[in-house]
Amino acid sequence: MASVSAETILQAGALSILALGLAAVIALTFLSAPYGRHARAGWGPSIGARRGWHLMEAPAFFGFVGVALYHLVGPGLRAPVDPASWILFALWILHYGDRDLLYPRRLRDPYRPMPLAVVGMGFSFNLLNGPPNGLAVGLERHPVAWLLDPRFLGGVLLFLAGFGLNRASDARLLRLREANPGGYAIPRGGLFTWVSCPNYLAEIVQWIGWALATGSLIGAAFAIFTACNLAPRALQHHRWYRENFPDYPPGRRALLPFVL
Ligand code: NDP
């Protein structure tokens, strides 16, 4: 039986992720993902948020690392590895090392119930997304000139800017969570001056940067999926703030300053 080529796996992975993005944007237009402030009954058994985040993000971290290292230093190595590949490897580890191992430790309400259905969906998506991105990074070789190519440089800068702003915005929210146990307050300062969900905006920017820097179809599919997943949730958060806080800043938008 002929073996399936890596290119076929990557194309199939990218198409599946794009299909899921379309499904997510349609589904999330009509219902909100039932965790955090949108949690509600009827979604089956739950686990604590800290364990949920660790579990959900594990395939993105460990799946990526395993597949990428197999091709970068393991038996799958076919050609000398270039610096751009290691930089891309490091960027993914920076994000998912934090998201899977550290972010759950920073949660101020680690036992807040998170439906297993949500964890299962996140886990499945990360299984579909992490290993193929690891395959793309592990297999692709770049000429030295790629290091100075505007797509690579711009992509890395966007990724790092998105990462920094995402973490800074999440940190503000986690401080609010600590100051308001069991309740919510209006976030202020930083990018919250302009939008309700700067953490989501920054996450989208980060993965657009990844798509540019990798120049890969699978990277582009992930960036599109992230926007399809987080834009509807930003609109739901924004609507929720307006309904629950009569003094919510009137000029603040949901996701894109002055636009959306
Ligand atoms: P949220 O902004 O909904 O919540 C983040 C944390 O802050 C939660 O602990 C939440 O508590 C708390 N919080 C939020 N707003 C307030 C407030 N006004 N007052 C008090 N506490 C508040 O983010 P998510 O949980 O949806 O996402 C967390 C991270 O994961 C983000 O960085 C996001 O970008 C990323 N993510 C990425 C996805 C992707 O597709 N790539 C998908 C989903 C998330 P509580 O839980 O009690 O609401």
Side-chain angles (χ1 to χ4, degrees):
M1 193 175 71
S3 62
V4 183
S5 74
E7 198 177 334
T8 306
I9 294 175
L10 288 174
Q11 281 175 357
L15 285 177
S16 310
I17 288 168
L18 286 173
L20 280 180
L22 184 63
V25 84
I26 293 170
L28 295 172
T29 301
F30 298 102
L31 53 112
S32 53
Y35 70 95
R37 81 197 64 193
H38 304 292
R40 53 199 181 273
W43 285 86
S46 297
I47 59 172
R50 176 173 290 166
R51 286 165 71 191
W53 277 99
H54 277 310
L55 195 59
M56 187 164 72
E57 304 295 331
F61 180 65
F62 294 104
F64 175 95
V65 171
V67 174
L69 285 183
Y70 177 84
H71 293 285
L72 291 172
V73 292
L77 179 64
R78 295 284 176 272
V81 183
D82 59 283
S85 298
W86 284 118
I87 291 171
L88 294 169
F89 180 79
L91 290 181
W92 187 279
I93 299 300
L94 176 71
H95 174 83
Y96 274 109
D98 181 71
R99 177 70 79 226
D100 182 38
L101 305 177
L102 303 179
Y103 177 73
R105 312 297 309 169
R106 292 199 293 273
L107 289 175
R108 302 299 206 274
D109 191 0
Y111 302 109
R112 193 190 210 304
M114 187 180 227
L116 273 173
V118 170
V119 176
M121 281 187 269
F123 184 93
S124 307
F125 173 77
N126 284 320
L127 202 54
L128 189 65
N129 187 50
N133 270 283
L135 186 62
V137 168
L139 284 179
E140 186 72 24
R141 296 293 178 265
H142 316 81
V144 176
W146 182 245
L147 284 175
L148 294 177
D149 190 289
R151 286 165 294 178
F152 182 74
L153 282 178
V156 170
L157 283 178
L158 276 183
F159 186 99
L160 291 174
F163 177 83
L165 290 170
N166 172 269
R167 276 16 181 217
S169 305
D170 273 348
R172 274 179 201 272
L173 292 176
L174 292 177
R175 284 197 294 273
L176 275 189
R177 164 62 45 253
E178 188 163 38
N180 301 272
Y184 291 88
I186 300 176
R188 299 190 190 275
L191 292 180
F192 287 100
T193 309
W194 295 282
V195 290
S196 296
C197 298
N199 51 345
Y200 294 167
L201 171 61
E203 178 108 18
I204 294 168
V205 167
Q206 194 184 329
W207 295 112
I208 291 173
W210 175 259
L212 277 174
T214 57
S216 67
L217 188 62
I218 193 87
F222 182 29
I224 292 169
F225 174 88
T226 302
C228 290
N229 191 23
L230 292 182
R233 191 164 176 85
L235 292 170
Q236 288 156 0
H237 273 22
H238 187 65
R239 205 175 306 127
W240 182 93
Y241 277 124
R242 286 206 178 291
E243 287 167 4
N244 286 279
F245 294 98
D247 57 336
Y248 198 67
R252 194 181 290 187
R253 309 306 294 257
L255 185 68
L256 286 177
F258 313 113
V259 179
L260 179 69

